Amino acid sequence: TTNKKARRGLSNVMGSLLLIILTAVAALLLGHYAFGVMNTAQHNPSIAIADASAINPGNNGPTGAPVYVQFTVYDNGNTPIVLQQIDIAGITVNNIGLILLPGQTISFNATITYSTNTYYLTVTSGVGNKYTASASSIQSSTGNLNVGSTIVVQALGYVQGDMVAGQWVYAQAPVTIQD
C-alpha cells in the first residue's frame, strides 16, 4: 500500500499561482529588454545655428575685412554633442571640444581680419574659450567680405562618447554681411 500523502504533488491553487508568477516575471524581463532596445534607437542627435549675423563697419576695400560675426549653436536633439569644428567663410577652427547638452546653447563672437595675403579668424565662445585659424582665401558670394556678400557659418560635432563610430552632426547658416 502506498501512502497517499507521499504521492500527492502541489495543489492546483499553488500550481496556478506559481505559473502566474513565472509568467509575470518573464513579461517584465521581456518588456525591459524590448523597451530598452527601443529607447537606444530613439536617440536624435542634432545641432542648429541660430541668431547668426555679420557686420562690416564700413570697410569695403578689396578684402572687406574686418568682419564681426555673432551666432549661437544649440543642441536641439536629445543626446549630448561635442562641438568639434566651426567654419566661417571657409576658414576652419578645429578641436573646439565644447559639450552641448540637449537644449543647451553656446554663443560665439568671431572676427575675420586680413593682413599680408592671409585671412585670420578668431572665435570666442560665450564661456570664454578662444580659438584661432587662418587661410589664404575666403568663401563668399562675391569673393570678399564687403557689405552684401553672403558667407556661411558652419558647425560640426559628434555624439558624446561616439567619435569613432561616426555619429556626426552638422549645421550651417548663410549670413549676409550688413553694415
Side-chain angles (χ1 to χ4, degrees), residues 17-140:
L17 283 175
L18 186 59
L19 188 57
I20 290 171
I21 290 171
L22 289 173
T23 304
V25 169
L28 286 173
L29 289 173
L30 185 62
H32 179 70
Y33 172 76
F35 288 114
V37 169
M38 283 192 246
N39 284 340
T40 59
Q42 291 179 353
H43 287 285
N44 180 26
S46 179
I47 58 173
I49 296 174
D51 304 324
S53 65
I55 306 276
N56 179 329
N59 183 357
N60 283 315
T63 65
V67 169
Y68 304 98
V69 181
Q70 294 181 327
F71 60 97
T72 300
V73 177
Y74 68 97
D75 183 343
N76 59 349
N78 62 0
T79 191
I81 300 294
V82 178
L83 190 60
Q84 182 67 17
Q85 185 181 84
I86 292 174
D87 182 286
I88 301 173
I91 308 171
T92 303
V93 175
N94 289 303
N95 301 318
I96 304 294
L98 295 174
I99 297 173
L100 285 160
L101 300 175
Q104 183 182 14
T105 63
I106 297 179
S107 297
F108 292 91
N109 292 312
T111 304
I112 301 173
T113 57
Y114 181 82
S115 176
T116 320
N117 298 322
T118 304
Y119 289 90
Y120 296 94
L121 173 64
T122 302
V123 179
T124 305
S125 72
V127 293
N129 300 29
K130 191 173 188 177
Y131 312 94
T132 59
S134 63
S136 59
S137 64
I138 51 104
Q139 297 171 2
S140 76

